[in-house]
Amino acid sequence: MKKSFVIAMMIFITGQSFAQNGKSKSEKMNTTEHYTFKLSDKVTRQKVSFKNRYGITLSGDLYIPKNQGNETLAALAISGPFGAVKEQSSGLYANQMAERGFIAIAFDPSFTGESGGEYRNLASSDINTEDFSAAVDFLGIQKNVDRNKIGIIGICGFGGFALNATAVDKRVKAVATTSMYDIPRAASKGYYDKVTLEERTKTLEQMSQQRWKDAEAGTPASGNRSNAEKLKGNEPQFVKDYFDYYRTPRGFHQRSINSNGSWTATSAFSLMNMPILTYIKEISPRPVLIIAGEKAHSRYFSEDIYKAAAEPKELMIIPKAVHVDLYDRVEIIPFDKLETFFKEHLK
């Protein structure tokens, strides 16, 4: 079971396995402007775009409290999960936080969703970290935002990138993560660091050879589906949980890699060679809030980062919650805690 767990983890992160390849043939659960949650009647949402330091244009949705008035407000940059789009969890979080008085932007990372970048469906330790700082750039030049009161929320894999961005970007005053993944660590070492050097080397050899094929074709090949069309029934529970979110009307979105596609076959190439969170202690003296589900398969990522981070820091474990519960279960996600955390530290 543990071996299958490791393999399932590697499928989700790297796309390197024997799962089926390619994109979904047809889906009927979405429209172009489909959101997986309802917009609050206390909030307005508007499409925005901005460029990161590499010149890639990012697409975002800006959520603004309707009762803002003329005052400048604290703001939050939000992204994740890894392989998701802004119409899913990050938008839900932005909507909830705007209800609580923050201006919030949910954005699609580079190479995914409606954001720019060629080729598509790529991930990068550096660029995905930069995407958060680019969102901070954008927020800080808005007339209704107090640029001295900007925080970050990272969900799932973008929890790791959020922490990495906060460590280097001293404009960020506070950071929170939910169901945090360290994507480069998972890509390189697998679940609980169980991947052996031999297995890692084999994966890198496969991706290295794939680069020849991509060069000859002039375009990168797709990897294996992030979530299969159908479950066989013998998958680890966390794979079933992902399926229940991404592949059903609960959380499906046409542009989400995890709902409807795959990363490129070589997407993990740089992730596996470029770890993040080396400078996690340098977030201090700014505060860190780390939130994880008690039953989450990913819980150890949050616990390890909590141990590694310097004060002030807080680890909040949500009783009985699994990883994906913190994607969209508004009755479980501790939004009141997020509100008090950011109101206390963005002042």
Side-chain angles (χ1 to χ4, degrees), residues 18-83:
F18 303 101
Q20 66 179 8
N21 184 279
K23 296 184 178 181
S24 175
K25 294 180 180 178
S26 64
E27 297 295 346
K28 297 180 180 180
M29 291 183 280
N30 61 281
T31 60
T32 301
E33 293 304 320
H34 170 65
Y35 287 80
T36 61
F37 59 93
K38 183 179 179 180
L39 180 67
S40 169
D41 59 9
K42 301 176 183 178
V43 173
T44 63
R45 176 173 59 209
Q46 62 186 71
K47 293 278 188 180
V48 298
S49 63
F50 52 96
K51 287 188 175 182
N52 68 15
R53 194 166 53 89
Y54 296 100
I56 298 170
T57 299
L58 302 183
S59 176
D61 285 327
L62 191 64
Y63 292 77
I64 303 172
K66 284 185 176 179
N67 61 353
Q68 176 188 5
N70 296 320
E71 65 176 320
T72 57
L73 299 179
L76 299 169
I78 307 173
S79 197
F82 187 72

Side-chain angles (χ1 to χ4, degrees), residues 20 23-27 225 227-231 243 247 260:
Q20 66 179 8
K23 296 184 178 181
S24 175
K25 294 180 180 178
S26 64
E27 297 295 346
R225 283 292 302 265
N227 282 286
E229 291 278 357
K230 295 181 180 179
L231 294 178
F243 186 94
R247 293 292 300 158
N260 203 36

